[in-house]
């Protein structure tokens, strides 16, 4: 009975993780550009579009997570290959991605403030549940990092102070942020639902 209890806890964690990242996928798909099915955008502003886009420089843990590698054949649009040396953004069937240093961030919310994320994989967070002779262990290999972009100000990694500064001209968004995070506690993991609520309030 005890073992079944701990196995149930482990199953709940697994299901929660699956639901969480399915929600990310759904939001990312909704935040794509509507003018093109797939494209790459170069530093000079040129957009090269097509019906299908494939990329090679993805994270081995999750193929939605794409890094800048300097691969001359990083992208393929309708069979034509493109280097990622000067690609600042691209869109495939799943999401719109924008470059930030050596990462292509995934956009979750589009508007006056854009909300992005990228996951660190290979990071291990172990959970152990034990009661007497029964022990159940679970490992989480992902940790999400969030970013925002307001107007032409560039992309900023989300810190609560920076986000407060960005939304201070919108009372509704500021109230939501202050209610969700009463203190600048960087030790706590940021909650995606709360961040989305703040950004959506600003974008109304």
């Amino acid at each position: 009975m005890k073992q079944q209890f701990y196995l149930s806890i482990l199953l709940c964690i697994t299901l929660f993780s699956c639901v969480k990242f399915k929600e990310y996928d759904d939001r990312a798909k909704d935040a794509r550009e509507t003018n093109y099915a797939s494209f790459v955008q170069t530093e000079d502003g040129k957009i090269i579009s097509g019906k299908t886009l494939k990329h090679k420089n993805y994270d081995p843990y999750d193929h939605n997570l794409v890094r800048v590698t300097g691969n001359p054949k990083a992208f393929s649009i309708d069979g034509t290959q493109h280097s990622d040396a000067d690609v600042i953004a691209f869109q495939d069937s799943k999401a719109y991605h924008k470059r930030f240093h050596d990462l292509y961030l995934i956009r979750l919310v589009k508007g006056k403030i854009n909300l992005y994320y990228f996951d660190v994989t290979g990071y291990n967070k172990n959970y152990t549940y034990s009661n007497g002779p029964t022990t159940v262990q679970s490992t989480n290999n992902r940790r999400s990092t969030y970013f925002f972009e307001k107007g032409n100000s560039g992309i900023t990694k989300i810190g609560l102070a920076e986000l407060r500064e960005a939304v201070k001209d919108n009372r509704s968004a500021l109230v939501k942020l202050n209610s969700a995070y009463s203190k600048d506690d960087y030790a706590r993991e940021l909650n995606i639902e709360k961040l989305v609520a703040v950004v959506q309030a600003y974008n109304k």
Side-chain angles (χ1 to χ4, degrees), residues 95-180:
Y96 171 85
H97 308 248
K98 189 165 186 179
R99 190 170 73 191
F100 180 73
H101 300 313
D102 63 340
L103 307 175
Y104 286 107
L105 308 181
I106 299 174
R107 189 167 65 190
L108 292 175
V109 180
K110 175 185 176 183
K112 290 180 287 186
I113 289 182
N114 296 312
L115 178 65
Y116 299 89
Y117 88 97
F118 197 90
D119 282 354
V120 176
T121 58
Y123 151 85
N124 293 322
K125 186 175 183 180
N126 297 314
Y127 302 88
T128 301
Y129 305 91
S130 180
N131 189 343
T134 304
T135 300
V136 178
Q137 290 188 330
S138 172
T139 302
N140 185 354
N141 285 357
R142 301 178 73 139
R143 180 175 56 188
S144 298
T145 305
Y146 304 105
F147 305 80
F148 73 91
E149 177 185 41
K150 181 180 179 182
N152 297 319
S153 60
I155 296 175
T156 302
K157 183 178 178 180
I158 287 184
L160 297 179
E162 290 80 3
L163 189 56
R164 281 197 177 94
E165 178 66 21
V167 304
K168 68 180 183 180
D169 56 342
N170 184 300
R171 177 172 173 75
S172 176
L174 185 60
V175 167
K176 281 186 178 294
L177 181 59
N178 287 335
S179 175

Side-chain angles (χ1 to χ4, degrees), residues 13 16-17 37 48 61 77 85 90 115 122 137 141 143 150 154 164 171 173 179 187 190 195-196 198 202 204:
I13 292 173
F16 174 78
S17 179
I48 305 166
Y61 186 87
I77 301 179
F90 74 91
L115 178 65
Q137 290 188 330
N141 285 357
R143 180 175 56 188
K150 181 180 179 182
R164 281 197 177 94
R171 177 172 173 75
S179 175
L190 295 173
L195 294 179
V196 167
V198 170
Y202 190 92
K204 286 183 178 179

Side-chain angles (χ1 to χ4, degrees), residues 4-108:
Q4 289 180 340
F5 172 73
Y6 291 115
L7 288 174
S8 297
I9 292 176
L10 178 59
L11 179 61
C12 287
I13 292 173
T14 302
L15 289 175
F16 174 78
S17 179
C18 292
V19 169
K20 175 183 177 183
F21 292 111
K22 182 183 183 305
E23 178 188 344
Y24 280 21
D25 292 344
D26 290 344
R27 290 192 184 281
K29 196 166 186 177
D30 290 340
R32 295 167 72 246
E33 296 293 327
T34 58
N35 294 337
Y36 306 96
S38 301
F39 65 86
V40 295
Q41 182 178 0
T42 58
E43 289 184 344
D44 60 4
K46 184 179 180 180
I47 293 179
I48 305 166
S49 62
K51 292 183 179 179
T52 59
L53 181 146
K54 297 179 181 179
H55 47 74
K56 294 183 178 181
N57 44 342
Y58 49 73
D59 187 283
Y61 186 87
D62 184 337
H63 289 194
N64 290 338
L65 304 174
V66 182
R67 303 175 187 274
V68 180
T69 64
N71 186 338
K73 300 179 180 179
F75 299 103
S76 175
I77 301 179
D78 294 346
T80 302
Q81 294 175 331
H82 301 272
S83 170
D84 69 355
D86 65 343
V87 171
I88 61 170
F90 74 91
Q91 179 168 285
D92 55 20
S93 62
K94 296 181 179 179
Y96 171 85
H97 308 248
K98 189 165 186 179
R99 190 170 73 191
F100 180 73
H101 300 313
D102 63 340
L103 307 175
Y104 286 107
L105 308 181
I106 299 174
R107 189 167 65 190
L108 292 175

